[in-house]
């Protein structure tokens, strides 16, 4: 075994990638990611044991977020970027350690690496399997993956200028706790739920940041065809990058198209003023291997999901920013004021052909909490009259496994008196099907990106109030979620914290759940995998 990673749904054989990631992650990068996480845990221990005031840790707080974000599946494949980040974090760690008086610290807070080779050696010794007990390991990793997702959302909020010191304090508390192999399984289960609690806080913070700056999402039709101008495709989740790119391309004759998780940007009132925002190109992340070929222009990744390009021609058109990275692709850094210079991308776009058309028509979305509240009377009346029997929360991620066709078939076979509430890239499995509407309410209501699963929770809590039930689980809402990477882990933990029971998770349960931890999730929260479409629909509809 030369590496070990089991953090995502596509992990090899459902148990762990041991030679090279199914995602394309190399052994070298896997070890560097393990070492970076270990370094962050050391920093967390210094903060916790040294009782450091988190509010005074500006740069360290921000770097901890981006370091965690870099290790999310498909965010960053660039070994050099990890080496640079580890060096930066070790320097910050040592400066911080020098300020506290605690002497007994874990190796994570004191180790040194003299060379790139020693980073590899150290990384190999501090990875996931360093914890012997498989249940403790499982809980430690579930918490760590939840923190990665939380860090991603908190980082987006930070880019908009919103922070919450309590989130940073919790990230340090939880990271430090995962170094302590002496914590019991019960203590770690409690910490897992607390991670979900802060997941809600982080998603609420990002929701506030997004809606304060960009307005509340509105029902919007998004063009999925193409125009004739040369263009840039922007992928990932960061809306501030889209804003800067749209500003810089204004009047240049270059259009901007959103890709995958950037689609919901169209729903915000702020972005509607840009004529150069031409539409959404393509589908979920994993289809990029073909769709980037036909796009013809440059592509900017603001976050995950990057798929290693098949050809040098496509690789040469990829740019990255924030926590994302790919070997050989230019990485665009922000200046001290957060400003980015996208002129090399715009210059490249001008030399290339316009995108080739791969589909035509429009998508409808924008059903975040305020928009749904605006329709509340209609929705409540439809439920009371029996026109809507059940809502299905089908948020989460998409992925390339064939077994995910389940979600398309599930959406197609759901009875006509049901409505799908979605968020995240999971929607691409069914958002282009003609599923119709119920009295003018579309049968697929897209709230936005994966973090906008928060909106779906807010909607559920509102329905609980409107229908006067004492338990969120008494509402006619079922949860059938597709998961792939660690943002889906924090969304899941957030739902568990909110008391949602009987969530079905597919296409497979996480490989990082040990049999005992899986049993706890099944017995305490009613978590289940997926079965056949017909059986599951019968089960959910109570037939
Ligand atoms: Fe494997 Fe997923 Fe880890 Fe990539 S991120 S190495 S596919 S488990
Ligand atoms: Fe998708 Fe990668 Fe997770 Fe934000 S873009 S949901 S998989």
């Amino acid at each position: 075994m030369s590496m070990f990673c089991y953090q995502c749904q596509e992990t090899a054989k459902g148990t762990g990638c041991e030679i090279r990631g199914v995602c394309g992650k190399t052994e070298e990068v896997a070890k560097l990611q393990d070492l970076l996480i270990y370094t962050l845990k050391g920093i967390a221990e210094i903060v916790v044991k040294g009782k450091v005031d988190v509010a005074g840790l500006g740069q360290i707080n921000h770097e901890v977020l981006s370091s965690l974000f870099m290790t999310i599946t498909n965010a960053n494949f660039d070994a050099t970027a990890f080496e640079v980040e580890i060096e930066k974090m070790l320097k910050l760690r040592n400066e911080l350690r020098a300020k506290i008086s605690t002497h007994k610290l874990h190796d994570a807070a004191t180790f040194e690496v003299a060379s790139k080779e020693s980073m590899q050696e150290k990384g190999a010794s501090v990875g996931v399997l360093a914890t012997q007990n498989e249940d403790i390991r499982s809980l430690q990793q579930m918490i760590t993956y939840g923190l990665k997702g939380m860090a991603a959302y908190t980082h987006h909020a930070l880019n908009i200028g919103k922070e919450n010191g309590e989130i940073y304090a919790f990230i340090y508390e939880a990271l430090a706790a995962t170094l302590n192999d002496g914590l019991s399984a019960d203590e770690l289960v409690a910490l897992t739920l607390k991670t979900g609690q802060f997941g809600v806080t982080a998603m609420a913070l990002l929701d506030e940041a997004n809606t304060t700056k960009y307005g509340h999402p509105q029902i919007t039709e998004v063009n999925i065809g193409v125009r004739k101008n040369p263009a840039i495709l922007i992928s990932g989740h960061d809306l501030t990058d889209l804003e800067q790119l749209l500003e810089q391309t204004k009047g240049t004759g270059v259009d901007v198209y959103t890709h995958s998780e950037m689609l919901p940007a169209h729903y915000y009132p702020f972005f509607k003023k840009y004529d150069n925002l031409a539409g959404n190109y393509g589908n979920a992340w994993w289809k990029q291997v073909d769709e980037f070929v036909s796009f013809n222009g440059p592509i900017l990744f603001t976050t995950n999901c990057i798929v290693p390009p098949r050809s040098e021609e496509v690789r040469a058109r990829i740019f990255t920013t924030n926590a994302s990275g790919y070997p050989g692709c230019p990485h665009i850094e922000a200046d001290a004021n957060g400003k980015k210079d996208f002129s090399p991308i715009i210059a490249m776009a001008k030399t290339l052909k316009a995108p080739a058309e791969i589909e035509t028509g429009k998508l409808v979305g924008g059903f975040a909490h305020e928009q749904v509240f605006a329709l509340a009377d209609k929705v409540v009346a439809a439920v009371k009259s029996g026109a809507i029997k059940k809502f299905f929360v089908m948020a989460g991620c998409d992925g390339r496994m064939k077994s995910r066709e389940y979600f398309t078939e599930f959406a197609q076979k759901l009875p006509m008196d049901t409505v799908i509430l979605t968020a995240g890239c999971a929607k691409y499995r069914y958002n282009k099907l003609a599923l119709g509407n119920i009295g003018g309410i579309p049968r697929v209501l897209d709230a936005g990106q994966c973090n906008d699963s928060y909106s779906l929770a807010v909607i559920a809590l509102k329905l609980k109030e409107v229908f006067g039930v004492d338990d969120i689980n008494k509402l006619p809402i079922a949860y059938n979620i597709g998961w792939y990477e660690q943002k889906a882990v924090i969304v899941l933990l957030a739902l568990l914290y909110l008391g949602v029971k009987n969530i079905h998770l597919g296409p497979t349960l996480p490989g990082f759940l040990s049999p005992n931890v899986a049993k706890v999730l099944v017995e305490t929260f009613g978590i289940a995998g997926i079965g056949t479409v017909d059986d599951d629909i019968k089960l959910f509809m109570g037939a």
Side-chain angles (χ1 to χ4, degrees), residues 7 25 33 36-37 40 61-77 82 85 89 144-159 171 175 206 235-241 261-262 301-306 321-325 331 340 449-451 485-487:
Q7 68 175 353
K25 183 159 84 179
Q33 290 189 352
L36 180 56
I37 293 290
L40 301 180
N61 292 339
H62 304 164
E63 288 294 338
V64 165
L65 295 182
S66 41
S67 294
L68 283 166
F69 202 166
M70 284 174 78
T71 69
I72 282 185
T73 302
N74 293 341
N76 199 315
F77 293 86
F82 283 103
E85 192 69 9
M89 297 317 284
T144 306
Y145 302 152
L147 294 176
K148 291 183 184 195
M150 187 189 305
Y153 296 151
T154 310
H155 194 268
H156 291 305
L158 174 66
N159 281 351
I171 290 176
L175 280 174
L206 179 52
S235 190
H237 304 66
D238 199 289
L239 299 178
T240 62
D241 289 325
E261 274 285 71
M262 200 59 86
F301 274 102
T302 67
T303 68
N304 58 314
C305 277
I306 302 174
T321 188
N322 294 316
S324 69
H331 185 83
K340 295 180 182 177
Q449 297 180 337
C450 47
N451 48 286
E485 38 81 12
Q486 298 77 52
K487 296 180 196 179

Side-chain angles (χ1 to χ4, degrees), residues 288-289 292 306-312 314-316 318 326 329:
Q288 67 187 253
V289 283
F292 286 1
I306 302 174
V307 181
R310 276 200 210 123
S311 72
E312 174 54 28
V314 171
R315 195 205 55 74
I318 292 177
Y326 196 81
C329 296

Side-chain angles (χ1 to χ4, degrees), residues 481-494:
I481 288 179
W483 84 284
Y484 174 61
E485 38 81 12
Q486 298 77 52
K487 296 180 196 179
V489 175
I490 195 61
V491 169
L492 174 70
L493 297 183

Side-chain angles (χ1 to χ4, degrees), residues 222-225 231-236 238-239 242 245-246 255-267 271 276-283 291-292 295 299-300 359 363 428 432 449:
V222 182
N223 173 33
I224 56 172
I232 298 167
L233 189 60
I234 180 168
S235 190
D238 199 289
L239 299 178
L242 175 65
L245 185 64
L246 287 169
D255 284 338
V256 173
Y257 292 80
T258 55
H259 173 251
S260 192
E261 274 285 71
M262 200 59 86
L263 158 69
H266 294 270
Y267 311 156
F271 292 108
N276 47 331
L277 180 56
N280 188 73
Y281 191 86
N283 293 276
E291 292 172 350
F292 286 1
F295 184 73
I299 300 125
L300 172 63
E359 49 196 347
L363 278 177
Y428 285 99
K432 292 172 183 172
Q449 297 180 337

Side-chain angles (χ1 to χ4, degrees), residues 39-47 60 64 89 93 96 108 172:
T39 308
L40 301 180
K41 291 179 178 183
I43 292 174
E45 195 190 49
I46 294 168
V47 172
I60 298 186
V64 165
M89 297 317 284
R93 183 201 70 180
L96 188 63
Y172 293 119

Side-chain angles (χ1 to χ4, degrees), residues 3-12 16-17 20-25 30 33 71-74 400 484 486:
M3 60 176 272
F4 186 83
C5 180
Y6 63 177
Q7 68 175 353
C8 84
Q9 189 273 326
E10 288 187 353
T11 194
C17 295
R20 187 187 170 90
V22 172
C23 58
K25 183 159 84 179
Q33 290 189 352
T71 69
I72 282 185
T73 302
N74 293 341
R400 57 202 136 193
Y484 174 61
Q486 298 77 52

